[in-house]
Amino acid sequence: MLSRLIANRESSRVVYGRAWREARDKVLGMIDNGYQLITIVGRPGSGKTHIALNICESIRQNWLCLYTDASTLQGRDLRHLVYGAIRDSWGEVDRLRSMVKDRAVKAAKRFIKARYDELLRSAFEYPVEAITLMHDLSNEVGLRGVVLTIDEGALSQDDESMWQYTSALHALRNIAPKLGGLRVISTMLPDVVDRIAKIDPPLFEILLLGIVNLPDYVTAEDAKEVLGESLTQMLAEVIEQVPLTMRQLICISAFRDLAKCGISGVEVHVE
């Protein structure tokens, strides 16, 4: 519930904490330098979704960024992931349609006239073709390509969908050489990365080339930046004693309620 309150497109426009900004900038650099498979790794609450959404906002002038919350999908295979990307980023897809229409791009009439449900069905039935179409049309209108951002931070190492997800990553990796402007960003828990290392060493070796790790907990300096004058001495002492995730820190800033932010047994007044 907490992640849904904090991690959204509006609140993610600002990235707090030096280490988190460095991680964001590293991912942006990887996108520019041609890394086609990038993985943001962090524990629950470390800010994976926040960073992913911020990246999409940061690059939208030059890229078509399709973000999907994979935890809401019925499956983790390529069909469901591409379907989710179209569904969750419909505003960006519609923006591409407007750009294509304004530039009178040939062979795009069906894409422009297709209804929402028709595009979703097509994405589900023909995921590779859907990604290829988005990629090619993005290039046609002057964008650099497509950044498919899969927020998969809820997947655990024991999840039955693990095989589906690794197969989908392989499928995306296989089509990437043909689509020079395709980038895939995935968020993962550390134990999922460890599991992939055991069950799929070739994929793990590829992931290692583009892994960006987020800190587990915030520092006192992070708290000072986020809370500003609201950081009382008592709260600063609590932060020194009780490890806080970035999600909890942003929650405290937003709601001024420690209990609501998952911190129990502590009596502290937040200004």
Side-chain angles (χ1 to χ4, degrees):
M1 179 64 180
L2 185 57
S3 64
R4 294 297 174 267
L5 288 172
I6 300 302
N8 56 67
R9 295 178 188 271
E10 183 66 27
S11 66
S12 299
R13 291 183 177 179
V14 177
V15 173
Y16 297 103
R18 179 178 57 82
W20 281 264
R21 285 191 292 273
E22 289 177 352
R24 186 268 316 274
D25 293 345
K26 184 175 182 180
V27 174
L28 291 174
M30 288 178 167
I31 293 172
D32 285 339
N33 291 325
Y35 284 71
Q36 290 194 293
L37 185 55
I38 304 167
T39 309
I40 302 173
V41 181
R43 298 185 182 280
S46 61
K48 298 183 297 299
T49 297
H50 195 101
I51 293 291
L53 288 171
N54 179 270
I55 289 170
C56 270
E57 181 64 25
S58 299
I59 65 176
R60 70 185 302 268
Q61 294 301 317
N62 298 309
W63 298 83
L64 175 68
C65 191
L66 302 178
Y67 168 92
T68 184
D69 179 358
S71 68
T72 65
L73 302 174
Q74 294 182 356
R76 300 303 206 283
D77 55 15
L78 187 61
R79 297 185 305 167
H80 283 91
L81 294 178
V82 176
Y83 168 93
I86 302 298
R87 180 198 66 183
D88 295 345
S89 301
W90 178 249
E92 290 302 293
V93 174
D94 209 32
R95 181 171 71 99
L96 176 62
R97 281 159 42 114
S98 296
M99 295 172 72
V100 168
K101 184 177 181 180
D102 290 344
R103 288 164 177 76
V105 177
K106 296 180 179 180
K109 290 183 179 180
R110 291 183 61 186
F111 175 67
I112 295 172
K113 295 182 178 180
R115 300 192 310 270
Y116 174 73
D117 61 307
E118 291 175 334
L119 284 179
L120 285 180
R121 184 171 63 252
S122 178
F124 186 79
E125 295 177 352
Y126 308 103
V128 174
E129 290 80 356
I131 286 294
T132 301
L133 176 65
M134 297 293 172
H135 172 274
D136 293 347
L137 290 179
S138 295
N139 289 162
E140 286 279 356
V141 299
L143 297 177
R144 295 183 59 184
V146 174
V147 178
L148 178 61
T149 304
I150 307 167
D151 194 0
E152 190 45 282
L155 185 71
S156 70
Q157 62 177 341
D158 300 321
D159 199 304
E160 295 180 357
S161 300
M162 174 71 77
W163 289 106
Q164 289 184 343
Y165 192 56
T166 55
S167 295
L169 292 178
H170 275 296
L172 289 167
R173 183 176 66 86
N174 289 337
I175 67 174
K178 302 176 184 178
L179 305 177
L182 175 64
R183 307 288 187 267
V184 179
I185 299 176
S186 175
T187 68
M188 288 188 194
L189 295 171
D191 66 337
V192 172
V193 177
D194 292 341
R195 180 62 175 165
I196 291 176
K198 295 177 181 178
I199 66 174
D200 196 337
L203 178 59
F204 175 69
E205 292 298 323
I206 294 170
L207 292 179
L208 279 180
L209 299 175
I211 278 184
V212 176
N213 291 293
L214 297 182
D216 293 342
Y217 304 109
V218 301
T219 66
E221 286 302 312
D222 297 328
K224 185 177 181 180
E225 177 184 338
V226 175
L227 298 176
E229 295 181 357
S230 297
L231 180 62
T232 64
Q233 180 61 36
M234 289 182 64
L235 183 56
E237 293 175 359
V238 169
I239 292 173
E240 290 289 342
Q241 300 173 21
V242 181
L244 295 181
T245 65
M246 179 55 78
R247 181 195 296 170
Q248 288 175 315
L249 184 57
I250 295 175
C251 179
I252 292 172
S253 175
F255 299 108
R256 302 295 195 265
D257 187 330
L258 299 187
K260 190 172 185 178
C261 298
I263 306 167
S264 59
V266 179
E267 294 291 339
V268 177
H269 174 64
V270 182
E271 297 292 342

